[in-house]
Amino acid sequence: SPRRCVHEEKDPEFITLCKDLLVTNLVCDNAWATWESVAKSAEKVNGSNKPLWGACIFISAVDLEDMCFTFTELQKAVGLSLKQFFNLVRKMDENLDTISPKVNSAVTKLEKKYEVSLALYQRFVKTCAKIYSSAHTSVLCFISLLCLLDCTGTVLQMEDDLVIAFQLLLCVLEFCTKRCPSALLQPLYRSAITTTAQSPPTRTSRRSKAKPRPPEVDVQLLETLCKESDCSMDEVKNVYQSSFSAFLDSMNLAGSQELPSACVDTFSEEYEKLYHKNKDFDARLFLVDDETLSLGKVDTPTVEITPRKNQSGEESVPIPPQTPIRAAMYSIQQLRGELTSASDQPSGNLIVYFKNCTVDPSEEITKRVEQLGQIFCQKFAEAVGQRCEGLGKERFTLGVQLYYKVMESIKLLNNATFHTSLLACALEVVMATYVGNSLKNGNENGNDTDLCFPWILDVFQLYAFDFYKVIESFIKAEPTLKHNMIEHLGRCEQQIMESIAWKADSPLFELLKQSREEGPGEQAEPPATLNQPLQHNHTAADLYLSPLRPSRRVPAAEVDTSAVPSSQPPVPGTRQHRSNSLSLFYKKLYRMAYLRLKMLFSHLLTSHPELEHIIWTLLQHTLQNEYELMKDRHLDQLMMCAMYAICKVKNVDLRFKTIVTAYKELPNTNQEIFKHVLIREGQYDSIIVFYNLVFMQKLKTNILQYSSPRPPPLSPIPHIPRSPYKYPSSPLRVPGGNVYISPLKSSRMTPSAMTPRSRILVSIGESFGTSDKFQKINQMVSSTDWSLKRRLEGDSTPKPLKRLRFDVDGQDEADGSKSNGESTLIQKLAEMSNRMQEQKLKEEAEKEDPEP
């Protein structure tokens, strides 16, 4: 068969595994090549290479988009549980090049879905034990299959939405329990079923065959189920009526008055189709406690939540660790509780305040909310499922309630972008509460339906730079925000500053351009003020004012009448304060960048403390004067390049491999940051290629000055005050993709520009495997026809630059000489774990320095 792998040069057992999984020859060849690249460093699993081969086949099939087997079939073939397989694939990425972003995304998606499925099943088992007096197999199977069928594509497009999936599970339990024989029910649920729920259907006219009416919700039973789960009765009822009823109708179950246990085989066949279509793991195996879905020695997932205070408010009452579902329900319950007295319409105070404005903005505000609501619900339904539009309306209503609540405590501006940003911030709080306040880390260019930040920016077509302006004021204005939500908004702001605000179409670049062309006015923070405390006496409204230009008069209509309600409207024609949004943005950017650099530095260069200030100076200079390098890139990319450049010019042995390895060990990092760096106009490659062809070429004159007798003056170290909300000290994931670089059309520098001094700045050897390819780098850099120069010897086909793969021989120079890079790396990695906790404690102590 052409689909079978029959290559004699491969291990016979590997070929047998490929045949069992029916993989194509292409997948087989690529999997074997992957195996050969990791064979020397990989350790056998349980004395066998079979699990490693299975991982290589999985990696190859995902990369080539040619999956011929389900994930469970692969697990059965290699004898690994889901958790064991995930850990094995992650471990294979130790050489930083085995796992592509596409594979990483696929594994992450499987992990999320497994965690949701596991949490649902565990809750299902506990709930069934409370409802049913005996383990009636047909009932258990029917409920399980019905729920799985419901949550695996028929209603939900997002298979990892824990809250909606759990609400659907409650709907399934309500539907089945009220149709169960009374003898099978526990007394609590036997009495909870409303008598009318079990009444026979109404007879219809013989002349016409009426459609069965949608099943009526047994409110009493559903209320009992929701109470047991701390779940909102209104939300579950909405899910039932808007989503679950439609599903029942599509399965011809809407008019059923009895539990159709005879249909278990039919449902199993339907699920089988979905399972094979999605190449997924078989969640039915939870029912038989199959080892492929076993957690092994890992404990049941738990989540710590904020301790609840007692009535006196003096002491905190600790709450036991919660399961993921219980923790999610608790967070939602808290949010809804805080908004109980809030309205989705302007309050009386706001109405009076609006009327006192020069122009009453009431109609404009309510109309905008209505329009954005339609957009939000439409995008929510597209992401989650068309039958879930009602859920989108509920969440939008909660966001509007929070929006108007915050509006009463914040200085306002009659500006559409300001109000859209404020509403978006309120909705982000709501969405994060429901999805677990995480940030999107999928492929931005893929079909990602993640509701995490920055999804809300895409929904409202809102610039990240505009959204950032409201975050701090929003937090100050809403004292009921929980700590985890304050931290989440702080992480959103951090993600904006490190990458999202630097997209090519961002208004940030126009502001920076204007600040250079027009001199005084809206400017980035000058280095001289870096060591001064960061002031927080601005408001969001201040940041939305148009920049004040010395040669232009500020239009009086630009500023609204809006401060807090007690403030008076400004007199027309009076001079208003200019916006300081750019200055504040750079103040925060510098402080975040320095903390980030300090953290990475502590893992790598503690034996060279004098370099920290120099590296910071280069990074600060780049952000201030070469900010175009940030366009469509990430702050950490410039940070790592600055560290490598200074070590090069100072003759300190620090290879890019060591930097990236240390960076990868930090929490919440993403390999796409160093594997997928913009080179030029949609062309991407590794961070080393970016350093050699872009960063070093742009900054080589400045970099070489640090080796001269008269180096540039050092930039002041930023003052790190206590933040109004705490930033996490670790880098965050950002979206990216697995795209390879295409041949460049023109050179970055001429051969004559490569001087002996600038030559030492180039990253040589380690990113391309062997030192003899250094000549090819020189040819590529100096050539105007890259498509010819990039051919490898003996190959007539142009090939793209290799992905980020560091040599394992320790070669780092053009002459091929060995270095002690590997031993240095091992030593530094050994020191890393010992220094981690000490460094974190040190940084936390520094952050406690209060500002005046």
Side-chain angles (χ1 to χ4, degrees):
S1 169
R3 296 181 60 81
R4 301 302 174 89
C5 184
V6 293
H7 303 286
E8 296 181 357
E9 69 274 11
K10 302 178 178 64
D11 191 293
E13 291 186 18
F14 175 83
I15 295 175
T16 301
L17 179 61
C18 289
K19 289 180 178 180
D20 291 342
L21 295 172
L22 299 177
V23 301
T24 61
N25 286 334
L26 183 60
V27 170
C28 181
D29 290 340
N30 277 270
W32 186 253
T34 301
W35 160 249
E36 290 181 323
S37 70
V38 301
K40 292 182 180 180
S41 59
E43 297 179 1
K44 293 184 178 181
V45 180
N46 299 325
S48 172
N49 285 328
K50 203 170 185 179
L52 290 164
W53 290 340
C56 292
I57 292 171
F58 174 79
I59 291 169
S60 177
V62 172
D63 273 333
L64 296 172
E65 298 182 357
D66 188 10
M67 190 78 72
C68 304
F69 48 84
T70 68
F71 193 74
T72 295
E73 289 170 346
L74 176 63
Q75 290 179 267
K76 293 286 187 180
V78 300
L80 291 179
S81 71
L82 246 122
K83 283 291 185 182
Q84 290 172 333
F85 187 87
F86 293 152
N87 292 337
L88 176 61
V89 172
R90 302 291 191 202
K91 191 174 182 180
M92 289 176 64
D93 197 28
E94 287 181 351
N95 74 334
L96 308 177
D97 193 34
T98 304
I99 309 303
S100 69
K102 187 186 296 184
V103 174
N104 185 62
S105 178
V107 172
T108 300
K109 183 179 179 180
L110 274 170
E111 282 181 310
K112 286 183 177 180
K113 185 174 182 181
Y114 172 71
E115 290 168 1
V116 170
S117 301
L118 176 64
L120 282 175
Y121 176 71
Q122 290 173 334
R123 188 55 178 236
F124 160 75
V125 171
K126 292 179 182 178
T127 305
C128 284
K130 295 179 181 178
I131 297 177
Y132 305 109
S133 57
S134 63
H136 194 276
T137 305
S138 62
V139 173
L140 288 174
C141 289
F142 175 76
I143 295 174
S144 296
L145 290 172
L146 190 58
C147 181
L148 287 168
L149 196 60
D150 199 352
C151 299
T152 317
T154 308
V155 171
L156 279 180
Q157 291 171 201
M158 294 182 62
E159 300 168 344
D160 58 355
D161 193 308
L162 179 61
V163 173
I164 299 179
F166 177 62
Q167 291 170 340
L168 286 167
L169 173 59
L170 294 181
C171 294
V172 171
L173 291 172
E174 186 275 345
F175 177 82
C176 297
T177 300
K178 69 184 179 185
R179 287 165 174 76
C180 240
S182 298
L184 292 178
L185 301 178
Q186 297 284 8
L188 173 63
Y189 287 90
R190 194 181 307 157
S191 60
I193 297 177
T194 307
T195 305
T196 56
Q198 295 179 325
S199 61
T202 305
R203 297 181 64 181
T204 60
S205 170
R206 294 181 180 179
R207 296 181 180 179
S208 62
K209 198 170 184 180
K211 291 183 179 180
R213 292 181 303 173
E216 294 183 4
V217 181
D218 189 328
V219 177
Q220 185 174 324
L221 174 59
L222 192 61
E223 186 176 8
T224 302
L225 288 165
C226 291
K227 187 176 181 181
E228 285 288 317
S229 306
D230 293 328
C231 195
S232 167
M233 165 72 173
D234 292 337
E235 286 193 2
V236 178
K237 189 175 180 180
N238 183 292
V239 171
Y240 197 109
Q241 294 172 340
S242 64
S243 304
F244 187 63
S245 293
F247 165 73
L248 293 176
D249 187 53
S250 69
M251 301 300 295
N252 297 319
L253 290 173
S256 173
Q257 296 298 318
E258 296 181 356
L259 192 63
S261 55
C263 297
V264 170
D265 291 339
T266 302
F267 280 108
S268 184
E269 290 175 3
E270 290 296 323
Y271 178 73
E272 186 82 11
K273 293 177 183 177
L274 286 168
Y275 156 64
H276 282 284
K277 177 183 177 181
N278 297 329
K279 308 300 181 186
D280 220 334
F281 61 86
D282 190 345
R284 293 171 298 181
L285 297 178
F286 278 121
L287 289 170
V288 294
D289 196 25
D290 191 88
E291 61 182 7
T292 60
L293 299 180
S294 172
L295 279 174
K297 298 181 180 181
V298 182
D299 296 330
T300 301
T302 59
V303 179
E304 295 286 351
I305 58 178
T306 306
R308 185 187 292 113
K309 291 187 177 181
N310 60 15
Q311 294 181 351
S312 64
E314 295 176 357
E315 298 180 359
S316 294
V317 180
I319 298 176
Q322 304 291 296
T323 62
I325 289 178
R326 182 75 69 178
M329 294 302 108
Y330 179 77
S331 297
I332 293 168
Q333 193 178 49
Q334 280 188 312
L335 174 66
R336 296 178 72 90
E338 296 294 346
L339 297 176
T340 301
S341 59
S343 172
D344 61 351
Q345 298 294 325
S347 65
N349 287 339
L350 280 177
I351 291 174
V352 172
Y353 171 60
F354 291 155
K355 289 181 178 179
N356 288 331
C357 294
T358 305
V359 177
D360 188 344
S362 302
E363 183 178 352
E364 184 180 351
I365 288 175
T366 54
K367 184 178 180 181
R368 182 186 301 111
V369 168
E370 181 181 352
Q371 292 173 342
L372 293 176
Q374 294 174 353
I375 295 173
F376 178 89
C377 293
Q378 177 186 346
K379 295 295 185 181
F380 185 90
E382 290 175 2
V384 181
Q386 292 300 327
R387 295 175 182 172
C388 296
E389 186 173 350
L391 297 179
K393 292 179 181 178
E394 279 201 356
R395 296 190 188 182
F396 184 77
T397 299
L398 288 174
V400 172
Q401 289 176 283
L402 184 56
Y403 164 67
Y404 283 126
K405 184 184 178 188
V406 171
M407 198 183 292
E408 295 193 35
S409 306
I410 197 171
K411 182 178 179 181
L412 303 179
L413 192 69
N414 191 9
N415 177 288
T417 304
F418 167 81
H419 281 278
T420 302
S421 300
L422 193 64
L423 177 57
C425 195
L427 283 166
E428 177 59 30
V429 170
V430 173
M431 299 302 290
T433 300
Y434 277 83
V435 300
N437 57 70
S438 58
L439 287 90
K440 183 184 294 186
N441 51 48
N443 182 357
E444 190 176 59
N445 300 318
N447 296 321
D448 195 9
T449 56
D450 198 338
L451 298 178
C452 299
F453 186 81
W455 178 80
I456 192 64
L457 303 185
D458 297 331
V459 170
F460 289 163
Q461 295 295 294
L462 191 63
Y463 288 119
F465 184 69
D466 288 324
F467 180 83
Y468 125 87
K469 300 174 187 177
V470 304
I471 294 177
E472 186 174 325
S473 292
F474 187 96
I475 292 173
K476 292 176 183 177
E478 183 47 49
T480 63
L481 282 179
K482 299 299 180 287
H483 172 75
N484 65 329
M485 196 52 57
I486 294 174
E487 187 177 65
H488 171 72
L489 291 177
R491 290 175 61 203
C492 291
E493 183 183 73
Q494 186 174 9
Q495 192 179 25
I496 288 170
M497 290 190 295
E498 68 185 14
S499 62
I500 307 179
W502 298 98
K503 290 184 177 180
D505 62 345
S506 173
L508 178 59
F509 290 102
E510 182 61 27
L511 277 178
L512 286 166
K513 181 180 178 182
Q514 291 177 1
S515 71
R516 279 195 167 188
E517 292 176 351
E518 302 188 22
E522 174 83 70
Q523 285 195 351
E525 183 184 29
T529 64
L530 279 173
N531 55 3
Q532 297 177 6
L534 180 62
Q535 302 298 325
H536 299 282
N537 54 0
H538 56 273
T539 67
D542 295 334
L543 304 184
Y544 280 89
L545 305 182
S546 293
L548 182 64
R549 307 299 170 204
S551 59
R552 300 179 186 176
R553 185 175 180 182
V554 179
E558 185 70 37
V559 182
D560 186 40
T561 65
S562 317
V564 290
S566 59
S567 300
Q568 296 297 321
V571 178
T574 57
R575 185 179 179 85
Q576 302 300 327
H577 294 292
R578 68 174 175 87
S579 167
N580 60 349
S581 58
L582 182 59
S583 174
L584 180 65
F585 180 86
Y586 258 80
K587 287 176 186 291
K588 291 185 175 183
L589 174 67
Y590 283 152
R591 284 151 179 80
M592 182 186 73
Y594 175 70
L595 288 175
R596 181 90 43 97
L597 172 63
K598 187 176 181 68
M599 185 180 207
L600 184 61
F601 187 92
S602 68
H603 296 316
L604 296 169
L605 292 167
T606 51
S607 58
H608 298 278
E610 73 282 358
L611 295 184
E612 179 185 309
H613 207 159
I614 301 174
I615 297 170
W616 161 244
T617 300
L618 176 59
L619 180 58
Q620 186 276 323
H621 167 84
T622 306
L623 292 173
Q624 181 183 16
N625 299 295
E626 304 294 345
Y627 55 80
E628 288 287 335
L629 288 176
M630 279 293 294
K631 186 173 291 186
D632 287 330
R633 297 191 181 99
H634 193 284
L635 173 66
D636 291 353
Q637 295 163 353
L638 270 61
M639 174 185 70
M640 288 186 276
C641 286
M643 179 174 286
Y644 183 83
I646 294 301
C647 287
K648 267 285 187 182
V649 81
K650 291 294 187 179
N651 296 317
V652 174
D653 180 24
L654 181 65
R655 301 167 63 203
F656 245 124
K657 175 178 180 178
T658 311
I659 295 174
V660 174
T661 301
Y663 176 78
K664 189 168 180 272
E665 290 296 318
L666 300 177
N668 301 316
T669 57
N670 192 316
Q671 61 175 334
E672 295 174 33
I673 295 176
F674 51 82
K675 283 188 176 183
H676 186 251
V677 189
L678 175 67
I679 307 299
R680 177 184 176 186
E681 296 178 0
Q683 299 170 340
Y684 294 82
D685 211 302
S686 73
I687 191 170
I688 298 181
V689 177
F690 166 71
Y691 171 84
N692 283 329
L693 302 184
V694 182
F695 185 88
M696 191 269 289
Q697 306 302 327
K698 189 75 171 178
L699 290 161
K700 63 182 178 181
T701 301
N702 183 271
I703 295 170
L704 290 171
Q705 289 178 358
Y706 293 100
S707 64
S708 67
R710 302 178 60 182
L714 299 178
S715 300
I717 298 296
H719 176 83
I720 308 299
R722 176 181 296 171
S723 175
Y725 42 90
K726 183 181 177 181
Y727 291 117
S729 59
S730 62
L732 299 176
R733 298 178 180 269
V734 295
N738 187 26
V739 184
Y740 299 106
I741 186 171
S742 300
L744 295 182
K745 296 179 180 179
S746 60
S747 62
R748 284 283 178 176
M749 67 183 218
T750 61
S752 60
M754 180 67 87
T755 65
R757 295 186 69 211
S758 64
R759 184 182 297 273
I760 69 170
L761 301 179
V762 179
S763 175
I764 302 171
E766 54 177 294
S767 64
F768 303 102
T770 57
S771 59
D772 62 327
K773 293 186 182 178
F774 178 58
Q775 295 300 324
K776 181 160 290 298
I777 299 175
N778 282 338
Q779 292 173 0
M780 288 189 298
V781 171
S782 59
S783 174
T784 58
D785 187 0
W786 285 28
S787 60
L788 295 177
K789 294 296 185 178
R790 291 173 63 171
R791 298 177 184 176
L792 297 178
E793 293 182 7
D795 190 351
S796 61
T797 306
K799 295 187 178 181
L801 293 177
K802 291 173 68 67
R803 288 180 294 164
L804 183 60
R805 183 186 298 278
F806 298 104
D807 59 284
V808 295
D809 299 326
Q811 294 177 337
D812 198 43
E813 297 300 334
D815 59 3
S817 61
K818 303 285 184 179
S819 72
N820 62 349
E822 290 297 331
S823 59
T824 303
L825 171 63
I826 296 174
Q827 179 182 359
K828 291 185 181 297
L829 289 176
E831 297 171 355
M832 221 176 271
S833 59
N834 296 330
R835 277 203 309 267
M836 178 77 78
Q837 190 63 31
E838 179 181 350
Q839 182 63 27
K840 285 186 177 179
L841 293 174
K842 179 181 177 181
E843 291 181 3
E844 289 296 326
E846 292 175 353
K847 291 181 183 178
E848 290 302 311
D849 178 26
E851 59 185 84

